Amino acid sequence: MDETVPVTQSIDTLYPDANIPSQKHRWQGLISQFESKYGKKPAFVARSPGRVNLIGEHIDYSLYEVLPMAIAADVLIAVAVSSPEDNGMNGTTDAVIPMLNINPHKHRPSECTVPSSGKADIDATVHEWTNYFKAGFNGAVDLLRKENEEFSPRSMQILVDGNVPAGGGLSSSAAFVCASALAVLRANGREHVKKRELVELAIVSERAVGVNSGGMDQSASVFAAKGDALSVSFSPQLYVKAIPFPKVEPPITFMIAQSFVTSDKHVTAPRCYNLRVVECTLAAEVMAAKLGVELQDDSGPLRRSLRGLQHAFFSSSSGGGKTTKDPSKPLPLGDPQTPYKQQLEQMLSMTPKLLDQETGYTRSDIAEILQISFPALESRYMTTFPVKTDRFHLAKRAQHVFSEALRVLAFKEFLQNPDSANDTKLLERLGALMNETQESCREVYECSCEEIDELCGIARGAGAYGSRLTGAGWGGCTVHLVPMDRVGDVRRAWVERYYRRREPDISDDRLEEAVVVSEPGQGSVV
């Protein structure tokens, strides 16, 4: 956990062998364009990849463990740094940062001027690609100012190349923010950037562009190890561990398929992603109020979480009692000696008893239960990240979170302790858990869509063991566990029954973009 972001002179260790030639061409193009635009070569390139979440959907912001892996698609930021004296060339000590993209027709050039003691201005109501760089910039500057109150950022020139599909559920925004923060730290003299500090600042930074980010995306982008999945947990603090895939026949293979339904969580957040974050937070608060449990602030986006509720319920206070607001409450608190899995099972079984309004809760309902005013409820939970809804479906959201946390435990156990005598059974078990996740996302968390469901059904019919959405949902991408010998069958089925039916004239290049056979990739590097 204390290791630093690696610095490398070669990209050969970053990508699957088959991708190396095309990636070398891409990197050379980036450097060549940088020279053409700025008249000099970049000093370095900061790189952070996208990710695919294998299991553990929408539970990171409730502080439960997830199992993602990095992918080959990534964000590259070529950087040149001005000398400290150059900051004064415009008559001030401001830092001036021109921000260019290799695709200027889609991503317009811009320039950011930052006062020596200030930060970059971000308007979260305007969806601009440069906001992600500014978010990473501000996070890096905050960190550097904690170390030196007199710190002033240096002027930089940047050129960005990203091939993680935006709105595709592969965390393009987290990859961009992580790469941006890494670039700024390096440009301002940080030769050794600790992975943990990069992740922690990137989590907070992405919230500046209007999303209640949980932390999985940034952790996977920074900590990923080529060839392994990652176990990422958030309580009591961020902890990451590589989980090797067992050697089985047929080999474990993951396919990623785009629905081409764009659901940019920064745009749809008030009714989708941010609403789910608020619902999970309110579920924890309402359950705590009914149990008489005192919740403590934690690292969740709104400082309270379902994982925090579980901890409070099963924690004992000094003297052997439980920490409660009202000891007369009818439901007894949990035994702190209860094994973790059984704790989750107990939380899941209590959910329908405590959150018993099947049609959902209005703001007035929640304010009354929490014994706070309506304005206080709005201010505390719905101001920083506004939401749009009349009813909050707390029981469904908590049910998904607790059941998904149990599925993550089971998936991880199967990876770490495979049945060597029966490889097929292992793949079937892993696939079944992925299918259960998809069902929960569709029916309980309500974050799937018709196109995602169709892609999953086609894949299973063509030989996939497990299929599910990945990322925020409501569109984006799907991930599928497929035996190596059925990869071609699944791809053909998608092309014939999904892509060509929806887009008869679809090009070969677009089909190539649509379906990827993914290997676990390498995380952030300079």
Side-chain angles (χ1 to χ4, degrees), residues 47 84 104 130 142 170 216 269 294 338-339 378 420:
R47 180 239 183 214
T130 53
D142 283 342
L170 300 177
M216 170 186 64
E294 183 77 53
T338 304
E378 290 273 348
S420 59

Side-chain angles (χ1 to χ4, degrees), residues 106 164-169 172 258 262-264:
K106 184 176 181 181
V164 187
S172 58
Q258 287 201 53
T262 301
S263 179
D264 195 309

Side-chain angles (χ1 to χ4, degrees), residues 498-509:
Y498 183 84
Y499 296 112
R500 292 204 184 281
R501 285 188 180 181
R502 292 175 178 274
E503 194 176 334
D505 298 326
I506 190 169
S507 67
D508 290 342
D509 287 345

